[in-house]
Amino acid sequence: MVLMKEFRIVMPLSLEEYQVAQMYMVRKMQQQNTTSTEGVEILENKSFEDDVLGKGHYSSKIYRLQSKAPTWLTTFAPADALIMQEEAWNAYPRCKTVIKCPYFTKFQLTIETVHRADNGQSDNVHGLSKGQLATRDVEIVDIASSARDYWSYVVSSSNTDLSKFTSAKTGRGPLLDGWQDKSKPVMTAYKLVTIDAPYWGFGYRIEHALLLGERALFLESHRNCFAWIDEWFGLTMEQIRELEQQSDSLKEELGRPTLLKSVEDFDQRLLSESEEIYSGQRVQLST
């Protein structure tokens, strides 16, 4: 079974500001989540051009996440099963990321992102077919939500309450109920996540766990984009690229926040928490 879900993350930023904020956030979160034993190896970093995305930046990486393997996975696969290969094509405002696992050769996770200057109400920015629209779930993610669940607790490292936060440099905030309809500027990251792990007996568990993890990562990273606005606001893309080049000259470590406190914790909570997280949050669009 292929899982397809579209996350819509509304932001109180312009498209130009978001591009700077995103690059700043990725660099800072990489630094915050550095470990001495695991990390990401950059294999390739170059410009690209194709007929679909146009011109942009291509990167190829290997993520070593062996210690994050859940107990139920290590019963029939080695710890090396969580070595992931990532290819990313960033042609902002369109981006595409493909993640594969050499051990599970049939597994693939794809994230296709379209950024638009709206408040999340565009219906089909990815140009899906009628059949795809019929199976797609849509969730509008509120970065100011105070709701807490297991995955947000595990991923989150931010203590900023965006319902009380005001930017000193821009005066934006706090993000109160209905802020998405009042914010100027405003933009949305439309992230279409497709996961396919066609393995009998455990494929669904892998697909569902990764979908929950991606949602939590989207929420945390976009919350940080706004919470850190006074740090990146006023920087140019050229300045951000200079910072990125400085980081590339060092050994890069793990670029994704840790999704688990321990493999035992994951194994105990995965099935029970997954249904609870999505209860009341699912939005089904008809075609």
Side-chain angles (χ1 to χ4, degrees):
M1 175 182 174
V2 177
L3 293 183
M4 177 183 291
K5 180 145 186 168
E6 182 180 299
F7 296 95
R8 301 179 181 180
I9 306 102
V10 184
M11 299 292 292
L13 308 173
S14 68
L15 285 175
E16 294 76 18
E17 290 170 344
Y18 179 84
Q19 187 177 17
V20 173
Q22 184 188 45
M23 293 182 68
Y24 180 89
M25 172 272 297
V26 168
R27 179 178 175 272
K28 183 169 180 176
M29 288 183 69
Q30 286 179 344
Q31 294 173 339
Q32 288 183 341
N33 291 277
T34 294
T35 70
S36 59
T37 58
E38 298 182 347
V40 56
E41 177 184 355
I42 299 177
L43 302 179
E44 199 170 4
N45 227 341
K46 65 180 182 179
S47 298
F48 82 92
E49 181 175 359
D50 65 24
D51 296 334
V52 178
L53 293 175
K55 296 181 179 180
H57 190 81
Y58 167 84
S59 65
S60 174
K61 302 175 182 178
I62 293 179
Y63 288 90
R64 292 180 171 84
L65 311 172
Q66 295 94 314
S67 68
K68 311 304 185 295
T71 303
W72 58 264
L73 180 60
T74 57
T75 57
F76 55 85
D80 287 348
L82 276 202
I83 293 180
M84 301 289 190
Q85 294 179 343
E86 177 192 277
E87 290 186 286
W89 295 263
N90 187 343
Y92 191 81
R94 301 184 70 91
C95 307
K96 181 178 180 178
T97 300
V98 176
I99 299 174
K100 298 180 180 181
C101 178
Y103 188 86
F104 298 105
T105 56
K106 297 179 182 180
F107 163 81
Q108 180 167 300
L109 185 154
T110 303
I111 304 171
E112 298 171 277
T113 307
V114 175
H115 303 90
R116 285 200 175 180
D118 63 23
N119 64 347
Q121 299 304 309
S122 295
D123 184 52
N124 189 15
V125 300
H126 297 282
L128 301 180
S129 66
K130 289 185 178 180
Q132 290 172 320
L133 289 172
T135 60
R136 173 198 64 173
D137 285 334
V138 172
E139 180 180 342
I140 297 179
V141 178
D142 184 1
I143 64 170
S145 173
S146 60
R148 304 291 292 175
D149 55 45
Y150 168 68
W151 286 94
S152 64
Y153 170 76
V154 170
V155 171
S156 179
S157 61
S158 173
N159 295 319
T160 304
D161 184 347
L162 297 184
S163 68
K164 299 178 181 178
F165 170 79
T166 301
S167 164
K169 288 187 176 180
T170 67
R172 298 177 201 174
L175 302 184
L176 304 176
D177 289 345
W179 68 266
Q180 299 95 330
D181 298 324
K182 305 171 185 176
S183 179
K184 293 183 180 181
V186 69
M187 57 80 58
T188 300
Y190 293 81
K191 292 185 172 290
L192 182 68
V193 180
T194 306
I195 304 176
D196 186 15
Y199 294 95
W200 184 86
F202 66 93
Y204 176 77
R205 296 183 73 180
I206 293 177
E207 292 169 346
H208 206 57
L210 289 171
L211 189 64
L212 295 171
E214 288 298 331
R215 178 190 181 276
L217 179 58
F218 293 156
L219 179 58
E220 172 71 359
S221 60
H222 285 79
R223 283 176 55 84
N224 287 337
C225 276
F226 184 58
W228 295 336
I229 187 170
D230 290 336
E231 299 177 29
W232 58 257
F233 188 81
L235 295 177
T236 64
M237 284 300 297
E238 289 71 23
Q239 291 172 316
I240 291 292
R241 289 193 179 99
E242 289 177 3
L243 293 174
E244 197 173 49
Q245 290 172 358
Q246 294 171 9
S247 296
D248 287 348
S249 66
L250 303 174
K251 180 180 178 181
E252 289 195 45
E253 297 294 342
L254 182 62
R256 293 174 180 268
T258 300
L259 298 181
L260 315 173
K261 286 188 172 180
S262 68
V263 293
E264 293 80 12
D265 202 16
F266 179 99
D267 197 39
Q268 293 170 2
R269 296 174 180 251
L270 174 61
L271 294 179
S272 61
E273 294 291 342
S274 60
E275 293 299 328
E276 180 180 347
I277 289 172
Y278 279 102
S279 62
Q281 296 181 6
R282 201 176 285 255
V283 179
Q284 184 74 40
L285 294 190
S286 57
T287 57

